[in-house]
Amino acid sequence: MQKRNLWVSATKILSRRLRSTSRFSTNLDPKLQSTKVISCSFHHAGESRVSKSSYGGNIFLANYRKNFCSLDENSGRCWNCGVVAVSKPFLSCDSCKSVQPVHASVDYFQIFGLEKAFEIEDTNLEKTYKDWQKKLHPDLVHMKSEKEKEFAAEQSSRVIDAYSTLRKPLSRAIYLLGLEGIHVDEERTVSDPELLAEILDIREAVDEASDSQSLKQIQGQVQEKLEIWSKSFESAFNKKKFEDAVTSIQRMTYYYRINDEIVKKL
């Protein structure tokens, strides 16, 4: 009888300990080396892996992706009133109107309610940008707490960055590759003699142009080239041929620089 009581007590203690760590532990078979799971982030349905921890022999979720949230982070719940978000992205609370902290798992496309794609069909990019700034601009929360003022400044700045990035094809292309973990070195020289010779000829033509009509004619030719390489990037990106996508971006960069020079002279 005494042994039975000791066993029951030990079971109760173990049960309490398991409940206290239920946020982190899983019921997966310890023999499993890794299993894909859905992200706990409200904004980001990414993937992580479950790995065995040496701490207590338990299995814990290990984060192998950048900007992946921890299990105890209520990223979909308002910090001020506690209401669960009903809309994405969760930049401000629909209930109490409080500005929320920045969550890096929300990408620029999500901020504007767009699909993650090179071609943006939504023509209301500027309108959405202005609508967000009406809710997030720091000047509009001057009567709020210092905490919310800080959130507003960060969110407003991020919306500005998102707008500036998505409205231009080149920066949008670079950002898309960045989301795939691919860095683009815009300063890298392209080893294509024909391209370099063409760029040199166009630059000389721009320097020698004496009137706006000549400059606009050259600009039209540059725009045609940009359109060609933009389509080339889109095709490569959609097919996940990222090396070709980088090549297209590097060529787009040359023509964008020439276009900037033309705009300055007009």
Side-chain angles (χ1 to χ4, degrees):
M1 185 68 179
Q2 184 177 4
K3 288 183 178 180
R4 183 178 181 278
N5 291 336
L6 289 174
W7 182 84
V8 171
S9 299
T11 302
K12 289 181 179 179
I13 293 172
L14 179 59
S15 177
R16 285 198 296 270
R17 288 182 177 177
L18 287 174
R19 284 198 299 269
S20 68
T21 58
S22 60
R23 288 186 304 170
F24 304 101
S25 62
T26 71
N27 294 321
L28 297 175
D29 187 344
K31 293 180 181 179
L32 295 177
Q33 292 300 315
S34 64
T35 302
K36 291 182 179 179
V37 296
I38 301 301
S39 165
C40 64
S41 171
F42 177 83
H43 306 289
H44 175 66
E47 291 180 351
S48 181
R49 291 186 180 275
V50 177
S51 63
K52 189 170 183 179
S53 168
S54 60
Y55 179 74
N58 294 322
I59 295 176
F60 290 85
L61 291 177
N63 174 16
Y64 290 110
R65 291 192 57 171
K66 186 179 180 180
N67 298 331
F68 191 86
C69 72
S70 61
L71 288 179
D72 61 347
E73 180 183 31
N74 295 320
S75 57
R77 189 180 294 275
C78 177
W79 64 269
N80 185 48
C81 68
V83 170
V84 176
V86 295
S87 61
K88 297 180 183 179
F90 192 37
L91 307 190
S92 64
C93 180
D94 294 328
S95 178
C96 70
K97 310 304 179 184
S98 295
V99 179
Q100 302 300 302
V102 168
H103 289 286
S105 60
V106 180
D107 64 47
Y108 289 175
F109 292 93
Q110 289 174 310
I111 288 175
F112 287 92
L114 300 170
E115 294 293 328
K116 191 176 72 172
F118 180 65
E119 280 297 321
I120 295 180
E121 297 181 1
D122 189 348
T123 57
N124 295 323
L125 191 67
E126 185 174 359
K127 179 181 181 302
T128 306
Y129 164 72
K130 290 180 178 179
D131 288 343
W132 273 128
Q133 289 294 47
K134 289 177 182 178
K135 297 179 181 179
L136 305 172
H137 198 281
D139 291 346
L140 302 178
V141 295
H142 63 280
M143 298 296 291
K144 299 294 183 72
S145 66
E146 291 300 320
K147 180 178 182 178
E148 189 168 354
K149 287 180 183 178
E150 183 178 346
F151 290 159
E154 292 173 351
Q155 289 283 24
S156 178
S157 176
R158 195 157 190 267
V159 169
I160 291 172
D161 288 342
Y163 176 68
S164 300
T165 299
L166 297 186
R167 64 191 293 263
K168 298 179 181 179
L170 179 59
S171 55
R172 187 164 66 243
I174 294 172
Y175 182 71
L176 275 170
L177 287 186
L179 291 178
E180 298 292 336
I182 300 169
H183 171 70
V184 180
D185 184 2
E186 297 177 76
E187 302 301 324
R188 181 180 177 183
T189 302
V190 177
S191 57
D192 184 339
E194 291 185 7
L195 174 66
L196 297 177
E198 180 185 10
I199 295 299
L200 183 60
D201 289 342
I202 296 175
R203 287 186 183 278
E204 289 179 353
V206 171
D207 290 338
E208 295 172 0
S210 56
D211 55 68
S212 60
Q213 184 176 354
S214 299
L215 287 171
K216 288 181 179 179
Q217 184 177 358
I218 299 171
Q219 189 178 42
Q221 297 172 355
V222 171
Q223 292 293 338
E224 289 179 5
K225 292 291 186 179
L226 280 171
E227 185 67 21
I228 291 172
W229 287 111
S230 292
K231 290 181 178 178
S232 175
F233 169 83
E234 182 181 18
S235 176
F237 180 79
N238 290 339
K239 295 175 182 177
K240 296 190 178 300
K241 295 182 178 180
F242 296 135
E243 288 186 11
D244 293 341
V246 170
T247 298
S248 298
I249 285 178
Q250 290 172 335
R251 282 158 173 72
M252 287 167 66
T253 301
Y254 279 97
Y255 292 109
Y256 264 103
R257 287 173 179 170
I258 292 176
N259 186 68
D260 289 342
E261 292 177 12
I262 294 173
V263 170
K264 290 178 182 179
K265 290 192 68 174
L266 284 174

